[in-house]
Amino acid sequence: MSKIVVLGGAGAQGLFSIEALLQRDVFDEIVVASRNLERTQEVLNEKFNSSKLKAAQVDVLNKDSLMNLIKDADVVANCTGPYYTLAEPIIDTVIEAGKDYVDFCDDIAAHEKIFTPEREKLAKEKGIRLIVGLGSSPGTLPLTVLYASTLMDEVDDVTFYLAISDREPEGPAVLHHTMENFIGGVPVIKDGKRAVERDFEGEVYYDFGEPFGVLPISSIGHPETFSLPRVLPNIKNLSIKLGLYPIEIQRTLKILTKTGLTSTEPIEVNGQTIIPRDVTLTSLEKITPRTELFENEHPEPLSSSAIEIRGKKDGNEILFKTLGYGNMGPATGYPLAVGAEMLAQGKIEKIGLMVPEECIDPLPFIAEVGKRVHEAEYETTSNTEIITYVK
Ligand SMILES: NC(=O)c1ccc[n+]([C@@H]2O[C@H](COP(=O)([O-])OP(=O)(O)OC[C@H]3O[C@@H](n4cnc5c(N)ncnc54)[C@H](OP(=O)(O)O)[C@@H]3O)[C@@H](O)[C@H]2O)c1
């Protein structure tokens, strides 16, 4: 029996990790921490009825306070956000404390800051395991690519297609994440090299089938561009494309960007210097629920993801194609919980600072996550085709 500290566990996605952790008895103490103790306690009381749960107060940017909170934990799970500001300092404290760690960090900038040779060396010397990016994207989706790669001699092109409805529960962290990664140059892999696409460059239409249908989608900066080449270094083309539902959201974001309202470049307004993105984010955060902005029939389930993986097998072209529906919360929170349990049970053999693709066997992991999501009676579907073009 052991103890886990879940930072940001009462956030919109973190709550699903808590729900999944409560499905099993791997942890007998689950400490859920954030800056606002009262709100955390209230949310936990409202959603769960478990003596295993304890609320705690911490500002993760206060190193001493975080150190004190995690000192007797077996595993630290990080569901806070935005990751591009919070992940690096948290990981440094966790390494110093010598704890196993997992998060669902989906900011590529955070990945690039975190994975330095010094930290990777330090984590190995300490004999600890830190898994960065174990949600859905990143998380189970790039793990699916890793599985598909075992059916091929080489993987050439990988495209992720994501559709997310505005009805998905999301906190301010997701809003910041979307803005940060959609706008300001999007990293992709083109012809075997890292390249940057301009905002909304190469918008395409993708048919997600019912209930979303055809949506315009554009590239978003996501950690798969960083994580997958660590295990599949010969991928030639890789991008992650996102469509927001209803279509008006994508269009509005595009217009805001064209008018400079998502820019982080300071501008002068009536003698005051302001950052346009700060104004936009502050205004959007005040609209709750944001779903009231657009009237629309909302689909169920609320998210869809597809992956197309092209490669070669015995000289023939091969296409591995998968399309599924589900909800973002369980798809994000459940993998982190299963990963945390594996850490506590000593089921992650490799040590060091790692992306999931480096330390998790994809098929049993995806199967376990699927089992747990179904156990909680969430609606999901998934359909996979493997097509071989014989020469
Ligand atoms: N990998 C994936 O598949 C995936 C999918 C979806 C989302 N995500 C990522 O998940 C993250 C969380 O999203 P969300 O919708 O759950 O956001 P959220 O509702 O805003 O949750 C963030 C949580 O972090 C806490 N927090 C923020 N700053 C803190 C600080 N300085 N110290 C302590 N706690 C702090 C917040 O509580 P207080 O305000 O009380 O401190 C809250 O509990 C986002 O960064 C998002 O990009 C990943």
Side-chain angles (χ1 to χ4, degrees):
M1 295 296 240
S2 51
K3 170 173 173 175
I4 183 168
V5 171
V6 188
L7 307 168
Q13 317 309 316
L15 280 172
F16 290 92
S17 296
I18 304 298
E19 183 182 271
L21 289 169
L22 288 172
Q23 287 178 320
R24 298 289 183 272
D25 276 327
V26 176
F27 296 102
D28 57 353
E29 194 178 346
I30 303 171
V31 178
V32 181
S34 84
R35 290 166 299 186
N36 189 329
L37 177 65
E38 212 176 307
R39 197 172 58 215
T40 300
Q41 189 65 69
E42 227 173 77
V43 172
L44 295 182
N45 289 346
E46 197 182 293
K47 295 253 173 202
F48 310 105
N49 176 21
S50 169
S51 57
K52 287 183 188 177
L53 290 175
K54 291 189 179 67
Q57 199 277 332
V58 74
D59 183 340
V60 292
L61 296 175
N62 180 330
K63 189 179 159 192
D64 291 343
S65 164
L66 180 57
M67 199 61 140
N68 191 40
L69 179 75
I70 64 175
K71 65 177 186 294
D72 58 353
D74 298 286
V75 177
V76 178
N78 175 15
C79 308
T80 65
Y83 282 108
Y84 58 90
T85 54
L86 300 180
E88 193 184 23
I90 294 175
I91 283 179
D92 278 340
T93 308
V94 169
I95 293 179
E96 197 176 322
K99 301 294 172 185
D100 285 341
Y101 167 94
V102 60
D103 67 29
F104 40 64
C105 174
D106 55 352
D107 285 318
I108 182 161
H111 274 69
E112 282 170 346
K113 271 199 273 177
I114 292 162
F115 282 82
T116 62
E118 295 75 31
R119 278 198 193 95
E120 294 189 42
K121 185 166 169 266
L122 200 56
K124 278 202 179 123
E125 281 168 5
K126 290 233 173 187
I128 51 175
R129 297 153 183 83
L130 296 100
I131 311 174
V132 179
L134 192 54
S136 164
S137 169
T140 48
L141 296 186
L143 282 170
T144 305
V145 176
L146 188 60
Y147 167 67
S149 76
T150 63
L151 309 175
M152 304 180 188
D153 297 326
E154 64 177 74
V155 177
D156 297 323
D157 304 335
V158 180
T159 314
F160 297 88
Y161 304 93
L162 313 174
I164 300 179
S165 157
D166 67 340
R167 311 285 151 154
E168 284 287 17
E170 58 168 45
V174 168
L175 203 56
H176 287 250
H177 161 80
T178 308
M179 208 87 47
E180 178 73 10
N181 291 285
F182 243 147
I183 291 138
V186 175
V188 295
I189 297 176
K190 261 189 191 148
D191 300 325
K193 293 195 192 83
R194 276 289 287 273
V196 176
E197 273 186 11
R198 287 193 318 277
D199 308 336
F200 300 99
E201 184 188 340
E203 186 179 77
V204 293
Y205 284 82
Y206 192 79
D207 189 354
F208 289 92
E210 285 306 318
F212 288 101
V214 177
L215 284 183
I217 51 173
S218 342
S219 296
I220 181 163
H222 244 227
E224 286 86 342
T225 321
F226 173 89
S227 64
L228 270 169
R230 284 172 73 94
V231 291
L232 299 171
N234 297 323
I235 291 180
K236 294 188 184 74
N237 297 292
L238 191 157
S239 63
I240 301 97
K241 293 183 182 292
L242 173 68
L244 300 169
Y245 184 92
I247 200 167
E248 289 90 335
I249 303 181
Q250 189 100 351
R251 294 276 179 252
T252 307
L253 197 56
K254 210 170 159 180
I255 293 164
L256 288 174
T257 301
K258 284 197 167 166
T259 49
L261 283 165
T262 58
S263 168
T264 50
E265 286 295 314
I267 54 166
E268 286 275 319
V269 180
N270 295 337
Q272 304 245 26
T273 305
I274 58 150
I275 311 278
R277 186 182 296 181
D278 288 350
V279 176
T280 306
L281 281 171
T282 309
S283 315
L284 283 174
E285 273 178 32
K286 283 194 184 132
I287 307 170
T288 49
R290 282 187 293 281
T291 47
E292 281 172 8
L293 282 175
F294 305 102
E295 282 172 25
N296 233 287
E297 284 288 306
H298 64 95
E300 280 293 349
L302 298 169
S303 290
S304 176
S305 60
I307 321 173
E308 290 183 5
I309 306 149
R310 287 166 207 278
K312 290 186 191 70
K313 176 79 182 165
D314 302 328
N316 296 316
E317 302 276 330
I318 183 164
L319 168 64
F320 181 105
K321 194 176 169 184
T322 174
L323 171 67
Y325 284 89
N327 289 314
M328 184 167 77
T332 306
Y334 277 55
L336 175 136
V338 172
E341 290 169 1
M342 288 170 75
L343 285 168
Q345 292 168 324
K347 290 184 180 167
I348 303 286
E349 282 168 17
K350 280 178 84 173
I351 54 165
L353 179 58
M354 302 170 284
V355 295
E357 296 92 310
E358 290 171 303
C359 58
I360 289 177
D361 187 1
L363 216 47
F365 182 81
I366 293 166
E368 175 64 16
V369 171
K371 188 170 120 192
R372 304 276 289 267
V373 170
H374 284 120
E375 210 174 288
E377 297 185 354
Y378 288 107
E379 194 186 332
T380 58
T381 62
S382 176
N383 182 37
T384 301
E385 287 173 86
I386 303 169
I387 305 163
T388 305
Y389 302 94
V390 181
K391 276 196 175 166

